[in-house]
Amino acid sequence: MSRTLGDKMFKLSKLAMATVLCLNASVHMAALAAGPKAEVMHWWTSGGESAAVARFADAYRAAGGVWTDTAIAGGDQARSVAINRMVGGNPPTAAQFNISRQFQDVVEQGMLSNVDEIAIREGWDKTLPEPISSVIRIKGHYYAIPVNIHMPTWIWYSKAAFKKAGIDKEPVTPDELFAALDKLKAAGLIALAHGGQSWQETIVFMAMLANVGGKDLYLSVMRDRDPRAMNSEEFRKVLLSFKRLHGYVDAASPGRNWNDTTALLISGKAGIQIMGDWATGEFVAAKQVAGRDYGCIPGLGPKAPYLIQGDVFVFPKTSNVEALKAQKMLANVFVAPAVQIEFNKLKGSIPVRNDLDASQMNLCARRGLDIMKDKSRHAGIGEIYLTPDQNGALTDVLTAYWNTNMTVEKAQKNIVSALKN
Ligand code: GAL
């Protein structure tokens, strides 16, 4: 190789080396300048859910942090991975659970840090609805940061489907609900859009227990686990109403995801879905407007209990200084008023804080906020009262009753044994 070419190659390699060193240094500097790294584990994978959780990620990054998103489809799956990672000594910085007893065990095993500092600063003792504080405050300490309030048993309907079926008013009683379902079926539509997964069957059952049975029966069964209530004629009627709904679903229902089921209302192929207000996130993502393209009914009648649910983040215990900084920064982001509004608008839930301007929320969320002001309608979802094992046993009976020719008497008997102490 001639000297000049050799010289040129040598100069190039020096330039290349210098470039790599500068790049390396700038990456290293950026890493040094970047704030604490947080790995956040959750199950928000639908269009609406991922748009919503991105608001938390954006806010955390804006605060200088580095957000690593670990999204695992399916609540059951995500929660078991989170618990396994904690037990295995390699926990995420934060993990999503429901406002429920799902994380009680890991608290008792000393695997979660308490969040008393933010609870005191935010005044949770005074501001949180009882069903929420009853499960996140354990032995005098707070172990979870609630980021929203969801209600699982909203009745959604497509305005286009209602028009096609000649339904001109929202059903306000169970009888009117079944009459609307009959009209939708007669019009050749999917009357009840249902995702045939056990947790979704449990939601449909809770809707019938709340709306057909009423608040007293709902609490006697779910909170008190009273065998007399479960053996009563009223509870038999609830189960018969639940099973009657099965006659309105389509053949593609088994195994369908909840958000693919909401898509049937968005396209006008189906009339009604009974699902949590996270469905709003799918309507929002599809640019559909509440009151114009779809309707939302929180309960059948003015006394229907409002079943409080929602999501929390928990902080697995850690001695890692950066993770501790990250948890502190995450906590501030999760409760920040502006972030709360942005996240809940996209998530379809309502903010936990009751001091926010709700005018930016949509029609359905504003309806939910109004009802939440009436404490007489507050009740928790089943998982606020039931242990994960009890809830799993109940869910197994309900999905078997929904999918087989199990008699209502057998269902009552099996529910009593599923919920006994
Ligand atoms: C619920 C959760 C909601 C929503 C829903 C469907 O348990 O509270 O945020 O994501 O699952 O995935």
Side-chain angles (χ1 to χ4, degrees):
M1 190 185 293
S2 75
R3 273 182 57 78
T4 48
L5 180 57
D7 282 349
K8 277 186 188 145
M9 291 302 282
F10 179 65
K11 283 196 182 85
L12 261 180
S13 66
K14 276 207 315 187
L15 178 64
M17 182 58 78
T19 309
V20 167
L21 284 174
C22 288
L23 260 181
N24 209 345
S26 59
V27 167
H28 187 61
M29 290 304 288
L32 280 179
K37 275 197 282 303
E39 182 195 2
V40 181
M41 186 173 284
H42 60 83
W43 63 84
W44 291 325
T45 55
S46 77
E49 292 169 328
S50 41
V53 71
R55 294 288 78 76
F56 282 144
D58 293 349
Y60 186 73
R61 291 179 183 122
V66 177
W67 174 292
T68 303
D69 200 69
T70 301
I72 298 172
D76 289 334
Q77 292 79 350
R79 294 190 292 269
S80 52
V81 169
I83 291 171
N84 290 340
R85 287 268 306 266
M86 289 180 213
V87 171
N90 171 32
T93 316
Q96 176 200 352
F97 283 84
N98 285 122
I99 294 177
S100 68
R101 299 175 65 174
Q102 293 164 353
F103 49 89
Q104 192 172 313
D105 268 359
V106 287
V107 170
E108 284 163 4
Q109 289 167 39
M111 292 186 174
L112 296 189
S113 295
N114 76 55
V115 292
D116 290 339
E117 189 182 326
I118 195 146
I120 292 162
R121 198 189 77 198
E122 295 293 313
W124 288 351
D125 280 350
K126 292 192 186 63
T127 59
L128 289 184
E130 191 276 335
I132 297 180
S133 48
S134 72
V135 286
I136 68 169
R137 190 166 182 273
I138 300 169
K139 297 191 179 108
H141 296 284
Y142 286 93
Y143 285 97
I145 299 182
V147 293
N148 60 5
I149 294 175
H150 268 309
M151 209 286 274
T153 56
W154 282 79
I155 299 166
W156 307 93
Y157 63 91
S158 153
K159 292 268 188 183
F162 265 37
K163 189 159 186 263
K164 185 176 175 194
I167 305 165
D168 51 14
K169 73 184 271 293
E170 277 185 2
V172 292
T173 66
D175 287 346
E176 288 182 8
L177 174 69
F178 283 105
L181 289 165
D182 287 332
K183 281 188 170 180
L184 288 160
K185 197 169 179 179
L189 292 156
I190 297 173
L192 179 67
H194 170 68
Q197 295 169 347
S198 59
W199 70 276
Q200 297 187 63
E201 265 104 57
T202 303
I203 282 182
V204 174
F205 161 75
M206 282 200 287
M208 290 298 102
L209 181 52
N211 288 293
V212 174
K215 181 179 172 184
D216 291 347
L217 183 63
Y218 176 88
L219 289 175
S220 298
V221 171
M222 298 303 251
R223 180 192 61 194
D224 308 335
R225 293 180 285 121
D226 181 350
R228 286 165 305 175
M230 289 180 254
N231 284 315
S232 68
E233 179 53 28
E234 291 73 24
F235 188 60
R236 186 175 185 278
K237 278 196 196 117
V238 166
L239 287 171
L240 289 172
S241 302
F242 167 58
K243 184 64 187 263
R244 185 178 167 194
L245 288 170
H246 189 278
Y248 296 97
V249 307
D250 60 307
S253 171
R256 186 167 53 209
N257 288 332
W258 71 270
N259 50 317
D260 298 329
T261 305
T262 309
L264 294 171
L265 270 68
I266 290 168
S267 64
K269 290 195 185 85
I272 289 171
Q273 182 184 18
I274 298 173
M275 185 43 66
D277 41 13
W278 46 86
T280 294
E282 303 311 299
F283 289 112
V284 168
K287 310 252 184 293
Q288 290 204 341
V289 176
R292 186 190 70 190
D293 305 309
Y294 67 96
C296 48
I297 306 166
L300 296 172
K303 289 281 162 231
Y306 196 78
L307 307 186
I308 294 169
Q309 178 184 346
D311 300 297
V312 298
F313 280 100
V314 301
F315 293 153
K317 257 195 188 137
T318 176
S319 53
N320 177 303
V321 174
E322 181 176 27
L324 289 167
K325 278 191 195 140
Q327 290 174 341
K328 210 174 175 69
M329 193 189 274
L330 282 171
N332 291 328
V333 162
F334 287 144
V335 301
V339 180
Q340 269 287 307
I341 288 285
E342 282 312 304
F343 167 74
N344 280 286
K345 261 165 61 177
L346 293 173
K347 190 70 180 63
S349 38
I350 56 179
V352 178
R353 310 173 62 118
N354 51 18
D355 60 351
L356 298 182
D357 167 19
S359 57
Q360 299 178 51
M361 310 302 286
N362 83 351
L363 167 75
C364 308
R366 291 200 307 274
R367 272 186 173 173
L369 283 164
D370 276 348
I371 297 174
M372 278 297 291
K373 289 175 190 146
D374 177 0
K375 286 205 170 110
S376 74
R377 292 185 66 177
H378 286 191
I381 58 155
E383 289 189 86
I384 281 184
Y385 307 114
L386 304 177
T387 63
D389 289 349
Q390 289 165 341
N391 186 64
L394 170 65
T395 297
D396 290 348
V397 176
L398 292 170
T399 206
Y401 176 50
W402 177 266
N403 288 302
T404 69
N405 57 5
M406 182 191 286
T407 63
V408 64
E409 290 76 18
K410 181 100 172 90
Q412 280 181 278
K413 192 167 158 297
N414 290 359
I415 288 171
V416 170
S417 52
L419 294 184
K420 70 180 184 303
N421 291 313

